[in-house]
Amino acid sequence: MENGNQNWWSAQRFSELGDIMDDLTNLAELAQGSQNSPVIVIIEQHVLARTCILNILKRELTGFEIVEMATTSGLNWLSGRDIRLIALNIGSKQITDPSIEESLALLAESCPKASVAVLSNRDDDATASAAMQRGVRGFFPTSIPVEVAIAGLRLVLAGGVYRPLPIVGQNGASSLKAISECPGALELFGTNEGNGATRIVPEKAMGELTPREQHVLEALQLGLPNKLIAVRLNLSENTVKMHIQRIMRKCSAHNRTEAVVRWSRANGHARPSRVRSS
């Protein structure tokens, strides 16, 4: 029995060492990349799941540098970087689990300006509420479709709060409603198609954006202020404000955050073309 315990302990320590080495490798690669891009951090223990999430986010959230790590131990290596979002997978653990509360406290202390999102195998209201009470800006059950999760991440990055709740209609069909606590922001809906698929329903048809308006919209998706948008696109701040007003009008939005979310949702999460230096 004693030998068995020693073997288990050695295997456990080896696994933890492997996680730490993964984090160091990923962070070394990060150090060679751009130091100016805003950063999204994915904390996921399992390599396969982490790689899948990483590949999806790199494709869907251009303009951000996506950093993966197995544990929270590598956060100190990101000191000084512009971290916009940290997504932590808690698996089947409760939010009240001491290890999860410790991790959330560490994220808040290490990256106070970053929004925190939680990926959970639980989809009950109590878990979602407990997460929000602890400052989490996005709660993502693993039961939701990937396109809904991407929309929720965009909402959090735009300054909103994503939290899906199950809603049962009169015909018994369930749907997911994302409640945004960002003032004036859009509420997102996913309707169940009856075959296990979920279809995103935009509220209204929207006008086409000009190429320049698309460039401005992309900058808004990155959370850039008017002054930086003006520098990036070689425009005056007044011209940027004019473009934003037109974008909001075409999207029937009350503010820039709502415009970003509505345009993304109405266009199947399509992104504007990447801005190129003129």
Side-chain angles (χ1 to χ4, degrees), residues 194-206:
N195 59 357
T198 299
R199 177 170 60 91
I200 302 299
V201 182
E203 287 189 338
K204 297 178 181 179
M206 300 181 188

Side-chain angles (χ1 to χ4, degrees), residues 69-91:
M69 56 182 64
T71 67
T72 58
S73 61
L75 286 173
N76 290 337
W77 290 77
L78 296 173
S79 177
R81 296 301 304 273
D82 180 15
I83 302 177
R84 301 289 179 85
L85 174 68
I86 302 175
L88 171 68
N89 189 352
I90 66 172

Side-chain angles (χ1 to χ4, degrees), residues 12-49:
Q12 182 72 13
R13 297 300 297 171
F14 183 79
S15 175
E16 292 175 358
L17 179 61
D19 289 342
I20 294 174
M21 293 303 296
D22 283 346
D23 289 347
L24 292 176
T25 300
N26 295 329
L27 290 167
E29 294 175 353
L30 173 66
Q32 297 176 356
S34 170
Q35 294 293 312
N36 298 321
S37 300
V39 177
I40 296 175
V41 180
I42 307 300
I43 304 176
E44 160 63 62
Q45 180 180 2
H46 300 97
V47 176
L48 179 59

